[in-house]
Amino acid sequence: MSSNHSTGPLGDGGEHRGLRSALAARCRFALRDVGSDESSEHIAKCSFCTARTKAANRIAKFASQRPEVPAALSAASMLEGIYDRVVESAQQVSLGEWLQQSDVPVPDEHAPEVSAEASPWADATSGVECATGDLIGEFLRGPELPDVRVWFGVRRSILADVAHEIAAPAKLRLMNWRVLLAGAAASAVIALLAVSDPAPVHPTIVFTDLDRAPDVEFATVRYGSRH
Amino acid sequence: MAPVLGQGVTNAPAAKTKAVSTSSIPTLASMQQAVLNQDYTIEQLRRFKEENGNIVTVRELLEVDANGTLRPDFELTFLEVVGEPPGSQLTQDWQQTYNRYGTLFFRQGAFNVRDLVKASTNYSLHDFGIVIRAGRLARRVVVFPNAIDKAIWLIDVDSLTSVPLFIAEFDHSLNLFANIEAVTFTSTVQPITPTLPTSNVTAMPDFASAQTFLNSPAGLLNPNVMVAIDYTLDNLEVHDDPINGRKKLVMSYTDGIDQFMIVQTVNTVDPFANLPSSASGAHTIGRFRDPAISALVFWDDQVAFHVAGRGLLKRLDEVARRVYLQALSQ
């Protein structure tokens, strides 16, 4: 069963934002803890969980069998090639930055080559138990893809958002028309009121500065004879 | 030299009341009391600051015959322009000016307590001690306005009669604008017998009477000057201009000491008719202002309006604007 979640640099299994589980919560809980009474009760009632449980039981027989690892995969050059590809790909993502900043010692590239028998990968290889060689190759070569059902959920979500955005301008346009109509009606009412009750128009008065005092009595009082 | 005669509203025989002598500090009330009761004859120098800044000193003889009112009978006689030979053109110009405007020189060209209550509200008097003026004992006082847009007065008041012997008018920057200085003073007066007709000035009790007197011309109005809230109507006269024969209604407003005038001259043409602003429909107020005078002129319906007062009184702009609006709304 492929994982629905992508792992972060710390392997915390954090979910991508926006992904929704195709499984209902009760089904998830039940399938995780198959042996418990509560789960058994749910599985008995849920046809989906019943089918999943039956399929898991069929696959479990094959998953428990560990085929022999091909000799080619045990070769040191093969393993080192895998190692190099993993390192290169990891260097370009945040995992590489994490490794550079961490206290994990970087293997010495100039150290004498260790024989395949003494290679630490030998133990690791023997520990990897995969159902088929194709599964291992697929894991190493192909990018990790989310489950199809998850993508269906994401697609539905995006389409719903897009549909909402398309509808919002239409609503906004409709609202704008309503506002304009209301404003026009108000203007018409105000204009009618204005016509029926005309407001007084104040005349414009302009001050013009004179360069000489006009011939007024007070000017004579102040200046005296004006010749 | 032909004297200028002024008579009070009552035209009653002069009341020859002797003023009670006092050496106490003069007050606004005592100075107003002197106007009501004190006869005197004074030869004085009146200094004018012309438009070009030159100072002209005119010697004049003032005879005041108190009549118990705030508008005593008086006679103002032009004697000479100091430094000018008799008969010169300048002397003749000044003689004609005194013939035509001598009444205004006495009524509005000097310090007068026109309304004691308003003067006490709008001004304060401060004593600065004893001085000698025209050979007489006097006390120097300064009358400060409560508003910055009015004149400051320095007055040497005769200790005996409370008649001003020296008057100087300053603005708030202490620039001198007017000055009258007594040369000789006597507390008596010869009986004043009018020899020149005074029919060119007719006092009116109220606006309605003036309107009737002028045959109710269409554009004449009773101005609303509420914007100058500390001023009230002090005097209302109809003048017959001896030069061009035009009649004008002269209304004087006072805050107790200061004055501004609104003059309405009937049967005139619009002096601003050819201005570009008039062509665009705007109404023009011509304005002249310098430190000595604020004068605003406008026209409506065959009546020319003049609003004039001292240069500091910038609120006359708003007075003129409101009166113009009042005229346009009629």
Side-chain angles (χ1 to χ4, degrees):
Chain A
M1 183 186 304
S2 62
S3 170
N4 290 339
H5 308 287
S6 63
T7 57
L10 299 180
D12 57 358
E15 293 185 358
H16 283 301
R17 189 183 300 178
L19 286 179
R20 296 180 201 153
S21 173
L23 297 178
R26 287 178 298 176
C27 296
R28 278 206 309 277
F29 295 146
L31 291 173
R32 282 177 189 167
D33 190 15
V34 177
S36 65
D37 295 340
E38 200 174 320
S39 299
S40 300
E41 186 180 349
H42 172 76
I43 290 170
K45 297 177 183 176
C46 179
S47 59
F48 174 75
C49 291
T50 301
R52 286 284 291 262
T53 307
K54 286 180 180 178
N57 291 335
R58 284 198 294 275
I59 295 173
K61 186 176 74 170
F62 295 101
S64 62
Q65 296 175 356
R66 295 172 181 254
E68 291 183 28
V69 178
L73 293 178
S74 300
S77 59
M78 175 68 170
L79 294 175
E80 287 174 3
I82 293 172
Y83 174 78
D84 289 338
R85 284 198 297 275
V86 168
V87 169
E88 285 173 9
S89 62
Q91 281 177 343
Q92 296 170 11
V93 296
S94 54
L95 175 62
E97 294 175 6
W98 175 78
L99 287 174
Q100 289 177 1
Q101 295 169 5
S102 68
D103 294 334
V104 175
V106 177
D108 188 1
E109 296 179 354
H110 300 289
E113 197 172 12
V114 181
S115 63
E117 290 76 16
S119 166
W121 282 100
D123 294 335
T125 304
S126 65
V128 175
E129 295 180 354
C130 300
T132 60
D134 293 338
L135 183 60
I136 293 174
E138 184 65 24
F139 177 76
L140 293 177
R141 286 192 296 271
E144 183 179 318
L145 296 175
D147 189 73
V148 174
R149 288 169 291 182
V150 174
W151 275 116
F152 280 148
V154 171
R155 181 169 177 273
R156 280 197 302 273
S157 173
I158 292 173
L159 288 176
D161 289 342
V162 171
H164 176 70
E165 287 176 4
I166 291 174
K171 287 182 184 176
L172 183 61
R173 284 194 292 271
L174 180 61
M175 187 173 68
N176 286 345
W177 275 113
R178 288 175 182 167
V179 170
L180 285 173
L181 286 172
S187 300
V189 170
I190 291 170
L192 284 173
L193 289 175
V195 168
S196 61
D197 185 16
V201 177
H202 289 285
T204 302
I205 291 180
V206 175
F207 282 88
T208 300
D209 288 324
L210 307 174
D211 56 1
R212 188 175 182 269
D215 189 16
V216 297
E217 284 79 359
F218 202 83
T220 304
V221 171
R222 300 298 276 169
Y223 300 128
S225 174
R226 306 190 71 201
H227 43 269
Chain B
M1 303 290 181
V4 174
L5 298 177
Q7 290 188 319
V9 175
T10 60
N11 283 335
K16 311 288 184 190
T17 306
K18 291 277 187 188
V20 176
S21 65
T22 174
S23 59
S24 58
I25 296 172
T27 62
L28 296 175
S30 66
M31 285 191 277
Q32 189 188 55
Q33 198 66 25
V35 175
L36 296 172
N37 299 319
Q38 182 64 52
D39 300 335
Y40 60 92
T41 300
I42 189 169
E43 182 179 323
Q44 58 190 17
L45 300 175
R46 187 186 295 265
R47 294 182 176 87
F48 295 88
K49 190 174 184 179
E50 293 186 315
E51 295 168 83
N52 54 15
N54 293 337
I55 304 296
V56 175
T57 303
V58 176
R59 186 184 299 272
E60 61 186 33
L61 181 69
L62 175 63
E63 298 169 279
V64 175
D65 191 356
N67 56 18
T69 71
L70 290 176
R71 299 176 69 83
D73 301 328
F74 71 96
E75 186 172 336
L76 185 64
T77 305
F78 170 80
L79 298 178
E80 65 167 350
V81 177
V82 176
E84 277 290 311
S88 68
Q89 183 62 48
L90 186 64
T91 301
Q92 293 179 27
D93 291 341
W94 276 97
Q95 176 67 74
Q96 292 173 5
T97 301
Y98 265 75
N99 289 344
R100 191 175 175 189
Y101 296 109
T103 303
L104 293 178
F105 289 156
F106 176 73
R107 299 265 190 241
Q108 287 153 3
F111 177 87
N112 271 315
V113 181
R114 309 173 201 283
D115 184 315
L116 182 61
V117 173
K118 295 186 78 65
S120 301
T121 302
N122 296 317
Y123 294 84
S124 58
L125 187 146
H126 303 264
D127 177 62
F128 282 82
I130 297 173
V131 295
I132 300 294
R133 181 66 66 180
R136 298 173 65 86
L137 199 66
R139 287 199 80 97
R140 175 159 291 174
V141 299
V142 175
V143 178
F144 279 103
N146 293 343
I148 198 172
D149 58 353
K150 300 178 185 178
I152 301 170
W153 300 87
L154 184 146
I155 308 165
D156 291 346
V157 183
D158 182 58
S159 296
L160 199 62
T161 61
S162 293
V163 172
L165 300 178
F166 178 86
I167 301 170
E169 178 191 341
F170 300 89
D171 67 1
H172 63 279
S173 300
L174 298 182
N175 297 313
L176 181 65
F177 285 106
N179 171 234
I180 301 173
E181 178 184 354
V183 179
T184 63
F185 177 88
T186 58
S187 56
T188 57
V189 66
Q190 298 296 321
I192 296 175
T193 303
T195 57
L196 289 176
T198 58
S199 59
N200 61 329
V201 176
T202 306
M204 292 291 161
D206 52 39
F207 176 78
S209 304
Q211 195 173 31
T212 304
F213 185 85
L214 292 169
N215 298 321
S216 302
L220 201 71
L221 56 82
N222 190 5
N224 180 354
V225 296
M226 286 302 294
V227 66
I229 197 168
D230 45 349
Y231 289 77
T232 54
L233 182 64
D234 175 47
N235 189 48
L236 203 149
E237 294 173 339
V238 173
H239 291 203
D240 248 320
D241 195 317
I243 302 299
N244 53 32
R246 284 205 183 113
K247 295 187 188 317
K248 56 181 73 173
L249 176 62
V250 180
M251 302 175 76
S252 303
Y253 298 83
T254 185
D255 67 347
I257 292 175
D258 189 27
Q259 264 194 337
F260 71 86
M261 304 163 64
I262 297 180
V263 180
Q264 300 178 62
T265 307
V266 297
N267 300 322
T268 58
V269 295
D270 185 2
F272 304 114
N274 296 324
L275 287 181
S277 56
S278 299
S280 62
H283 303 276
T284 302
I285 295 180
R287 174 177 57 194
F288 177 83
R289 174 169 287 119
D290 71 0
I293 181 174
S294 291
L296 300 109
V297 295
F298 50 96
W299 180 95
D300 180 63
D301 203 4
Q302 310 295 320
V303 177
F305 293 81
H306 297 157
V307 179
R310 285 178 165 80
L312 293 171
L313 207 59
K314 293 183 181 179
R315 66 179 106 165
L316 290 182
D317 289 10
E318 185 61 18
V319 171
R321 194 184 73 85
R322 294 194 180 208
V323 173
Y324 201 0
L325 287 174
Q326 184 183 353
L328 293 171
S329 65
Q330 277 190 330

